[in-house]
Amino acid sequence: MRRKALASSACASPDNKRFCPETFLDVVAEKLAYNAVLFINYELLQDFFFQFPRELDSNLYYGKTLQQTRDFASQNPHIGQQLKLIERRQRLELVMTRLNELVRQQAAVEQHGRKRSHWSTTASPSYSNPFPGL
């Protein structure tokens, strides 16, 4: 109906356009519709951007076991390679720790052996068995 009024003879000439209220109403209606679409788009995008990371966290992180998370992450070849390197490094660090413990134990045994041999050579024969009969 508004379009029909805009095409009428009263609003057809450029001089009468400013006196025709339908022209103003048409512009206002288009502007309101444009703003409404922008507002709706903004609200939808805001909702999406607010919910999307939380949905990802809830679906990919929370409620998953560590193994399921690793399986998911290893689907990406680059991340899978990094995870393998991390596991390899952890195993090598474990081996290094155990080897260091063995070296410390060996040094302690050698130190204890030296102390024992030192005391046994300096001790008098009467003190070789301080508690006879035991």
Side-chain angles (χ1 to χ4, degrees):
M1 182 156 165
R2 190 170 287 146
R3 299 274 180 210
K4 202 176 206 183
L6 287 172
S8 69
S9 62
C11 295
S13 69
D15 295 332
N16 292 341
K17 288 268 187 197
R18 62 182 173 190
F19 298 115
C20 187
E22 290 298 321
T23 305
F24 175 73
L25 290 175
D26 187 50
V27 169
V28 169
E30 285 182 19
K31 190 67 172 173
L32 284 174
Y34 177 74
N35 285 341
V37 168
L38 284 178
F39 179 74
I40 291 170
N41 284 339
Y42 173 77
E43 286 295 319
L44 290 175
L45 287 174
Q46 182 182 7
D47 187 44
F48 173 75
F49 286 134
F50 181 78
Q51 288 297 332
F52 185 69
R54 286 153 185 82
E55 287 293 324
L56 280 179
D57 284 347
S58 67
N59 289 335
L60 299 178
Y61 185 70
Y62 298 112
K64 301 277 186 192
T65 63
L66 182 60
Q67 187 59 39
Q68 289 173 330
T69 305
R70 282 187 180 166
D71 291 342
F72 176 76
S74 64
Q75 290 176 0
N76 183 336
H78 181 69
I79 294 175
Q81 185 180 12
Q82 291 296 322
L83 289 174
K84 287 178 186 175
L85 286 173
I86 289 170
E87 289 174 7
R88 183 176 177 199
R89 179 181 175 195
Q90 289 172 344
R91 280 190 239 126
L92 288 172
E93 286 176 349
L94 179 66
V95 167
M96 185 176 70
T97 304
R98 288 185 180 170
L99 286 174
N100 286 338
E101 288 175 9
L102 287 173
V103 167
R104 252 186 273 132
Q105 286 177 355
Q106 183 68 28
V109 167
E110 289 176 2
Q111 182 92 10
H112 187 65
R114 276 193 232 132
K115 282 183 182 178
R116 202 169 245 208
S117 65
H118 174 71
W119 287 109
S120 65
T121 57
T122 59
S124 66
S126 63
Y127 292 111
S128 63
N129 191 358
F131 301 108
L134 288 179

